[in-house]
Amino acid sequence: MQLATASGAEADGADAALRRLAVLDLTPRPTLDTTWSGDQARGGVVVAVLGAHAANDTAALRRIRHDAGAALAVVLDVQQWTAARLSDGTGAAAAPLLSIGWRAAGVGPRDRLDTAWRDLGRAPSRGGRRS
């Protein structure tokens, strides 16, 4: 198991990764670091927790998806979290990742993380797109 944050690889091994996750802070960065991805990670499972999707994230997310056997993402519906209002649903937050082959679930302030995680486990992986 390897933990990679927005700033790159942080911990190797389950114990070290769990300890690091317990104290992880937000990292505002203009781009995602993908130096940890590649041959050594090829075929593994990638789990991402993401905020707002920016257009310049697409290439990095596509590369990560290509290298992974499975790519799962919990995507914060930033509009709901920042505006303190509810939108019509969290599907729009996950849509950019769904379109490039990730399994993704949007999460708003009233959504349960365990439900989103369960939905990711049930989501079919169908040729790069989820229906």
Side-chain angles (χ1 to χ4, degrees):
M1 173 182 208
Q2 178 184 12
L3 171 66
T5 67
S7 58
E10 294 282 333
D12 287 321
D15 289 341
L18 290 172
R19 277 194 294 278
R20 180 69 176 115
L21 279 172
V23 295
L24 191 63
D25 288 324
L26 293 176
T27 307
R29 293 184 56 99
T31 59
L32 295 171
D33 182 330
T34 60
T35 56
W36 58 270
S37 185
D39 289 337
Q40 74 279 8
R42 192 168 301 277
V45 176
V46 173
V47 178
V49 178
L50 303 168
H53 178 269
N56 61 345
D57 293 336
T58 302
L61 291 167
R62 187 174 278 127
R63 176 177 174 204
I64 293 167
R65 172 61 192 111
H66 176 267
D67 291 342
L72 311 172
V74 173
V75 185
L76 299 181
D77 187 333
V78 176
Q79 293 287 340
Q80 287 189 39
W81 288 92
T82 59
R85 65 177 171 77
L86 296 178
S87 68
D88 294 334
T90 56
L97 277 90
L98 293 170
S99 71
I100 58 173
W102 285 68
R103 292 182 186 182
V107 177
R110 293 189 181 174
D111 296 317
R112 292 181 47 106
L113 186 56
D114 61 335
T115 301
W117 184 250
R118 197 170 25 255
D119 290 347
L120 284 174
R122 286 194 289 245
S125 181
R126 304 174 56 163
R129 290 198 185 275
R130 180 178 150 198
S131 306

